[in-house]
Amino acid sequence: MPALARRGIGFWECDLIDNALRWTAPVYDLFGLPRGQPVRREDALALYAPESRAAMEALRAHAIRHRRGFTLNAEIRPGLAGSRWMRLIAAPICDGDRVIRLYGLKQPI
């Protein structure tokens, strides 16, 4: 994993029961947030450009409904850092027929 982190690639996970997010250090860096700080999903969503947020939410809903992953190039606006693009890769974790978490990678592009 250190080689991925050197390239700015981080891992993330979202628990669908409570929408709790877990990020590795490169994801915090990508979003311009202090490492280790608890991040609420709604606060992270606010950092997406509107069109990217809408696309991500539609793909997320489809992934949960159909138990499928997705990849999206999304524009984010992390505070004073200005606009930047990232690749979001997501995959479901299922318990039987039910998706309980989404996880994947985020990387700068």
Side-chain angles (χ1 to χ4, degrees):
M1 284 201 276
L4 293 177
R6 282 193 298 274
R7 291 190 168 107
I9 299 170
F11 295 91
W12 64 273
E13 183 176 296
C14 180
D15 186 323
L16 298 182
I17 293 169
D18 60 4
N19 278 327
L21 297 176
R22 284 181 278 295
W23 290 354
T24 59
V27 177
Y28 282 98
D29 297 345
L30 184 63
F31 279 85
L33 297 173
R35 291 179 179 187
Q37 167 185 310
V39 179
R40 296 179 324 151
R41 185 170 182 274
E42 53 269 19
D43 295 334
L45 286 175
L47 298 174
Y48 282 76
E51 288 180 11
S52 290
R53 181 174 44 247
M56 191 270 301
E57 288 287 70
L59 287 168
R60 180 182 190 269
H62 186 269
I64 293 167
R65 187 171 41 255
H66 298 286
R67 299 184 314 267
R68 302 185 72 83
F70 66 90
T71 300
L72 173 70
N73 291 342
E75 181 183 8
I76 57 173
R77 297 179 178 156
L80 301 175
S83 178
R84 65 176 68 154
W85 286 85
M86 70 166 184
R87 178 160 296 133
L88 165 62
I89 300 170
I93 296 175
C94 299
D95 182 8
D97 287 343
R98 193 175 70 122
V99 177
I100 58 171
R101 287 191 301 275
L102 293 173
Y103 78 103
L105 302 172
K106 294 185 183 196
Q107 70 181 93
I109 54 173

